[in-house]
């Protein structure tokens, strides 16, 4: 077929919509050309290429031919190298434990504040101080995202992600030892720096190392695993809460934060 901006590439399995149909050698009287089970229809634009729009192909039997007919199904994970799998796995685990850490805080926040204020603290005072603790967490989260996002450009994504994982896991665990509300909030702020940093650096690392076609699938997997961290935190809260009710432990919220320190060894794999 002649080369012209007004003709569709046959490999796209689409045609240009135009009322004027033109036949070429090898093309049937109705503008149809068959091959590999598909029908290609070539139409010449009467106005300009910018007015052309793709329309689905119709085979001689009258059925529509899918745009992907005859093409092998794309399997994104088959084109990943060993390093790309390692980067994706590490970033996904970092995100998962990151979300677990912040969700553990959401579960343990009020019990922790109540115990640190004293058993006689009113519900209003507990709610107010818990709100302040959440505010401190969010401020640190935002600062960590900006600081470690910039630091990732200077030190490299992998090294920066190591720092963020260490921050949020170590200071989540340190909350176990909090003896006052001020100490508790200080640990939460330092932890949240790593939480915000991990969100920024993890996505950047995956986006950089993934092949272009596999990138949206890999980033979707990264986001999906973050929900696993939230669910894991819920299971930890349920298990420790029942242990506290049975009398096996006291102040279960401290043990929740101790569980949040478990991802620390992951930093040494990055």
């Amino acid at each position: 077929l002649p080369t012209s901006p007004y003709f569709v590439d046959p490999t796209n399995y689409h045609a240009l919509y135009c009322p004027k149909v033109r036949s070429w050698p090898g093309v049937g009287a109705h503008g149809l050309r068959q091959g590999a089970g598909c029908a290609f229809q070539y139409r010449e634009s009467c106005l300009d290429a910018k007015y052309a729009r793709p329309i689905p192909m119709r085979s001689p039997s009258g059925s529509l031919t899918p745009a992907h007919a005859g093409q092998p199904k794309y399997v994104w994970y088959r084109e990943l190298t060993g390093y790309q799998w390692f980067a994706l796995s590490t970033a996904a685990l970092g995100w998962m434990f990151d979300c677990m850490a912040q969700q553990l805080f959401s579960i343990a926040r009020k019990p922790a504040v109540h115990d640190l204020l004293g058993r006689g603290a009113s519900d209003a005072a507990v709610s107010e101080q818990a709100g302040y603790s959440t505010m401190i967490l969010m401020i640190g989260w935002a600062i960590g995202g900006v600081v470690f996002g910039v630091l990732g450009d200077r030190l490299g994504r992998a090294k920066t992600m190591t720092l963020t994982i260490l921050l949020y896991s170590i200071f989540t665990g340190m909350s176990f030892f909090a003896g006052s509300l001020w100490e508790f909030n200080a640990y939460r702020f330092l932890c949240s720096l790593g939480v915000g940093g991990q969100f920024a650096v993890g996505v950047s690392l995956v986006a950089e190392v993934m092949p272009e076609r596999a990138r949206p699938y890999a980033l979707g997997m990264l986001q999906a695993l973050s929900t696993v961290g939230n669910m894991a935190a819920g299971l930890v809260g349920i298990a420790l809460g029942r242990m506290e009710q049975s009398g096996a432990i006291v102040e279960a919220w401290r043990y929740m934060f101790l569980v949040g320190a478990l991802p620390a060894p992951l930093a040494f794999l990055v």
Side-chain angles (χ1 to χ4, degrees), residues 13-75:
Y13 296 85
H14 287 84
L16 296 179
Y17 174 79
C18 179
K20 182 178 178 182
V21 180
R22 186 170 181 178
S23 297
W24 298 94
V27 181
H30 299 287
L32 297 177
R33 180 180 180 183
Q34 299 183 23
C38 300
F40 300 118
Q41 186 173 8
Y42 302 94
R43 296 174 181 261
E44 185 177 13
S45 173
C46 299
L47 299 175
D48 196 297
K50 69 180 180 179
Y51 297 109
R53 61 182 176 85
I55 61 174
M57 291 291 87
R58 222 175 254 283
S59 65
S61 64
S63 61
L64 289 176
T65 303
H68 61 274
Q71 296 181 349
K73 183 179 179 181
Y74 175 64
V75 183

Side-chain angles (χ1 to χ4, degrees), residues 80-93 158 161 205-206 209-210 266-270:
L80 301 188
T81 65
Y83 172 73
Q84 288 167 341
W85 268 116
F86 175 76
L88 175 59
S89 301
T90 306
L93 288 173
M161 192 162 68
L205 177 65
V206 172
V209 303
M210 288 296 118
L266 177 65
F268 300 101
L269 297 176
V270 179

Side-chain angles (χ1 to χ4, degrees), residues 16-211:
L16 296 179
Y17 174 79
C18 179
K20 182 178 178 182
V21 180
R22 186 170 181 178
S23 297
W24 298 94
V27 181
H30 299 287
L32 297 177
R33 180 180 180 183
Q34 299 183 23
C38 300
F40 300 118
Q41 186 173 8
Y42 302 94
R43 296 174 181 261
E44 185 177 13
S45 173
C46 299
L47 299 175
D48 196 297
K50 69 180 180 179
Y51 297 109
R53 61 182 176 85
I55 61 174
M57 291 291 87
R58 222 175 254 283
S59 65
S61 64
S63 61
L64 289 176
T65 303
H68 61 274
Q71 296 181 349
K73 183 179 179 181
Y74 175 64
V75 183
W76 67 275
Y77 51 81
R78 288 183 179 174
E79 65 174 297
L80 301 188
T81 65
Y83 172 73
Q84 288 167 341
W85 268 116
F86 175 76
L88 175 59
S89 301
T90 306
L93 288 173
W95 260 57
M96 183 181 74
F97 289 122
D98 192 343
C99 290
M100 185 181 76
Q102 58 89 15
Q103 190 64 28
L104 284 172
F105 167 76
S106 297
I107 297 172
R109 174 185 54 184
K110 283 195 173 182
V113 171
H114 183 272
D115 288 345
L116 293 172
L117 285 178
R119 295 293 180 179
S122 65
D123 290 341
V126 170
S127 297
E128 181 181 3
Q129 292 300 321
Y132 291 145
S133 296
T134 304
M135 178 188 69
I136 291 170
L137 177 77
M138 299 302 292
I139 291 173
W141 194 336
I143 294 174
V146 173
V147 171
F148 286 105
V150 174
L151 202 59
D153 291 332
R154 298 178 180 272
L155 293 182
R157 311 293 182 199
K159 291 181 180 178
T160 306
M161 192 162 68
T162 300
L163 294 176
T164 61
I165 293 173
L166 285 174
L167 266 177
Y168 76 68
S169 58
I170 289 176
F171 286 105
T172 295
M174 288 295 293
S175 299
F176 174 89
F177 303 101
S180 67
L181 191 58
W182 286 101
E183 186 180 356
F184 176 77
N185 287 335
Y187 291 144
R188 299 321 302 156
F189 177 78
L190 293 171
C191 167
S192 64
L193 293 175
V195 170
Q198 171 63 27
F199 280 138
V201 177
V203 172
S204 301
L205 177 65
V206 172
E208 283 183 352
V209 303
M210 288 296 118

